[in-house]
Amino acid sequence: MNKKILFLSAALALTTSVQGQTTQDSGQATPARSQWTLQECIDYAMQHNITLQRARLQLQSAKEDVSQSKAALLPSLNASTSHNLSYRPWQDTGMATVTNGTVNTKTNTTSYNGSYGLNAQWTVWNGGRNRNQVKLNRLAEEQAELETQVTANSIQEQIAQLYVQILYLTEAVKVNEESLKTSQKNEERGREMVEVGKMSKADLAQLSAQRATDEYNIVNAETQVKNYKLQLKQLLEIVDNSEFDIVIPATTDAQAQADIPSLMTVYEQALATRPEIQSAEMAIKSSDVSLDIAKAGRMPTVSLSASAGTSTNSLANNGWGNQMKFNFNSGAGVSVSVPLIDQRQTKTNVAKARIQRENNLLALQDQQKQLYQTIENYWLDATSNQQRFRAALATVESEQQSYDLLQEKFNVGLTNIVELMTGKDRLLQAEQNRLQAKYMTILNLQMLRFYGRPTPNPSL
């Protein structure tokens, strides 16, 4: 498989992996590793994803259609034989019978006869329908291959998106854990202040509620991580209950602040390389061939035929060998079929072929529009999230300084519980915004790079 399909691996430096032996589960080998890099997830899905395997089966079926249409250009040959047993209980002993041109004088009540033949048929010319059918099936094969690439790309994009969500939420869990540590310290400090009469039990209850909220946030984030990991396992078609985790690469703020490629540059490159566009263009070529096939309905058909055969009969006086020799016959012929009135079938087929071509032209325009919308969405998301990230960096720094000051005042009893909790909430929200903007920017940047370069051919 071409290793250019890396998505985020270039930006996230996904180089660490935990290798292991393989274990057998339900007849399918599953790597016994506990941690997966993004590239390992993609490689494994390319081999095991059921949707992709079905697309490959469609490609194999299209290849068989090509082979069959090529064979249709050759003559057909078939052998036939028939054997019959007759019983005539009131046979007239003085009557002779004729079978296959042979006079039989025997008068047995039971008789046997057999025939043996070879027949050949060859369509010499039928307006080019048979050769155009080969072209049409080849185009269908190429479309099936492109559709396989489309399916592979879709799966890889889903894997990348799930992978980034897991990365984001894993770091969000760490942020919530730090927030919980702070809440626990505040709660402990609140108890000390209640004991010396500097804080009411009602305020302490609010600190306890804040600590409980942080504990819930951790559980909620961990649950979301597990859910995304489950979705990733399903894409990889891993159905056992083995431990599954991903490699957490080191990320930097610089990766989220990289230059965003030009929207039109990415779109123009995608138009020339994306398999969904190539498939739509291939459909138009198929329409042209289908139109030629439909027009061939007005043309005559020229066929050659040949046959050879012999027969035997138990009532004949000659032996079996002589009968096979003397009853042998052969022949050859040519037939020409000229369509005169076909109840408008050809005209209708031509009209429908032209209509289908127009539909395929519209389908290409629709695919181009959808591609532009997809790339534009990635570009807008990359731009907006990068701006959010830069703003979030400043916000986090500001909120951290503000909260540190509030905490110092709280420790000496110079601020109330409401101000402290509000400051902590603002800091936590700023951290979450920073993380989300960071990972969404990295994802959208890599999607733009993926769409803006030649698409590798998946392993088939």
Side-chain angles (χ1 to χ4, degrees), residues 43 59 297-298 348 377 401 425 448:
D43 290 342
L59 175 58
R298 302 190 182 105
T348 300
N377 286 336
Q401 293 176 355
D425 288 340
L448 288 173

Side-chain angles (χ1 to χ4, degrees), residues 171-190:
E171 194 162 343
V173 169
K174 295 178 181 179
V175 170
N176 286 324
E177 287 174 346
E178 292 300 319
S179 178
L180 175 61
K181 291 179 182 178
T182 302
S183 295
Q184 290 171 338
K185 291 179 181 179
N186 289 340
E187 184 181 20
E188 182 61 31
R189 177 58 180 163

